[in-house]
Amino acid sequence: MKKTTYILVLFTIILIVLFLWQELETLDIKQKINDDKLANFFTAFGGIIVAISLYFFYEQLIAGNSPDLYFSSVVFNVTEGESIYENKKSLKFFQIIDEKISDLNSYFVLYNTGTGTCKNILIKWIYDLEEIKKIIKNDYQYFPIFSTESQQLSFIESNGKIQIEIPEFYFYSCAPEFNFNEKNHSELAKKLIKGEELKPKLNVEITYYDSRNNKKTKKLKLEIQAVNNKIDIKFKHL
């Protein structure tokens, strides 16, 4: 909006300058405005109107070719798996679709809700690694090499979508025993009353480029409700 205002002010100044430039020699406050003066004024004014129209047409053209990335909400089912490494438990995550547990592993879906293709996409999951380690108390197996997740994508076309790997290490803090349940509901209820977070913060930063190589960055936070073995996740703008 500010940019548009600056453009209009600039065009107005140009109009005044053009008019005065043509009338400078004969400019006299006592002299009546004649047909030539009016013709010169409206010629300059018409030129400015054309320039403004072209500018707004260009702005609309750009706005109509802008990608916009966003994640969909999702519900996961999480269960403990067999111990296969140093007697530590593992977790399995499955997506719940139409109240039915899918046989496929869990994932997020990233949508391009804009009207232009985006490219060179980088997705970074941001959370406190040490905080997660304290919560899982070394009872669950994990591989530190995969604990800081990021993912790169080539492009997503307009109105397209793509599956994104979940930050699996983070969700070890959403193991059923750490979620809201009969055993810990009193403790977690006290945290809710105090306004404390029940889960560590998890944010995602998406960096991408549009077709004109303009860089864009979007930051979202995840709102997580975890009860027993069900995890409900929504994405909100930071």
Side-chain angles (χ1 to χ4, degrees), residues 187-203:
E187 177 186 350
L188 295 183
K190 290 178 181 178
K191 287 187 175 182
L192 282 175
I193 293 173
K194 294 179 181 179
E196 297 178 6
E197 296 282 350
L198 297 186
K199 293 296 177 189
K201 290 183 179 180
L202 175 62
N203 298 330

Side-chain angles (χ1 to χ4, degrees), residues 9-216:
V9 170
L10 178 61
F11 282 153
T12 302
I13 294 174
I14 293 174
L15 172 62
I16 295 172
V17 170
L18 288 176
F19 178 68
L20 293 178
W21 182 268
Q22 296 181 67
E23 302 298 325
L24 191 60
E25 293 183 358
T26 59
L27 189 62
D28 188 345
I29 194 171
K30 296 180 180 180
Q31 187 175 354
K32 294 182 179 180
I33 299 177
N34 53 32
D35 293 341
D36 290 337
K37 291 182 182 291
L38 285 175
N40 291 336
F41 175 80
F42 283 111
T43 298
F45 183 75
I48 297 301
I49 291 298
V50 171
I52 292 175
S53 299
L54 290 174
Y55 168 75
F56 279 106
F57 175 77
Y58 175 73
E59 287 288 305
Q60 290 297 319
L61 185 64
I62 291 178
N65 193 32
S66 296
D68 190 16
L69 298 181
Y70 203 78
F71 282 102
S72 63
S73 301
V74 66
V75 180
F76 292 158
N77 177 270
V78 54
T79 57
E80 289 185 353
E82 297 179 357
S83 300
I84 59 176
Y85 178 72
E86 295 183 353
N87 294 321
K88 295 178 182 178
K89 295 174 287 187
S90 64
L91 290 180
K92 292 184 178 180
F93 303 91
F94 297 97
Q95 202 157 358
I96 298 177
I97 302 175
D98 296 330
E99 299 184 354
K100 296 181 180 180
I101 299 176
S102 170
D103 294 333
L104 301 175
N105 289 333
S106 293
Y107 55 84
F108 292 126
V109 178
L110 181 63
Y111 290 88
N112 180 4
T113 58
T115 55
T117 299
C118 58
K119 57 185 180 179
N120 300 333
I121 306 159
L122 176 62
I123 299 168
K124 293 178 62 178
W125 299 102
I126 303 169
Y127 58 88
D128 190 329
L129 181 65
E130 295 303 319
E131 190 175 3
I132 304 300
K133 289 182 179 179
K134 289 179 182 178
I135 292 174
I136 66 177
K137 302 174 183 176
N138 211 29
D139 292 334
Y140 287 89
Q141 67 177 35
Y142 66 90
F143 303 96
I145 191 173
F146 299 121
S147 59
T148 305
E149 292 91 351
S150 64
Q151 188 173 352
Q152 289 184 314
L153 307 169
S154 297
F155 72 94
I156 304 178
E157 69 276 8
S158 175
N159 296 317
K161 62 181 181 179
I162 194 168
Q163 294 181 5
I164 301 298
E165 298 174 0
I166 67 172
E168 187 169 326
F169 180 73
Y170 173 89
F171 284 108
Y172 275 88
S173 67
C174 294
E177 65 182 286
F178 306 130
N179 296 341
F180 201 97
N181 56 57
E182 293 181 358
K183 294 180 180 180
N184 62 16
H185 73 278
S186 177
E187 177 186 350
L188 295 183
K190 290 178 181 178
K191 287 187 175 182
L192 282 175
I193 293 173
K194 294 179 181 179
E196 297 178 6
E197 296 282 350
L198 297 186
K199 293 296 177 189
K201 290 183 179 180
L202 175 62
N203 298 330
V204 59
E205 181 179 275
I206 311 172
T207 304
Y208 60 97
Y209 294 81
D210 63 18
S211 58
R212 297 174 302 280
N213 289 322
N214 295 318
K215 183 179 179 180
K216 299 187 177 182

Side-chain angles (χ1 to χ4, degrees), residues 221-236:
K221 65 177 180 180
L222 280 71
E223 291 187 351
I224 299 173
Q225 293 183 351
V227 179
N228 293 323
N229 63 341
K230 184 178 179 182
I231 310 172
D232 194 333
I233 301 170
K234 294 180 173 61
F235 292 84
K236 301 291 183 180

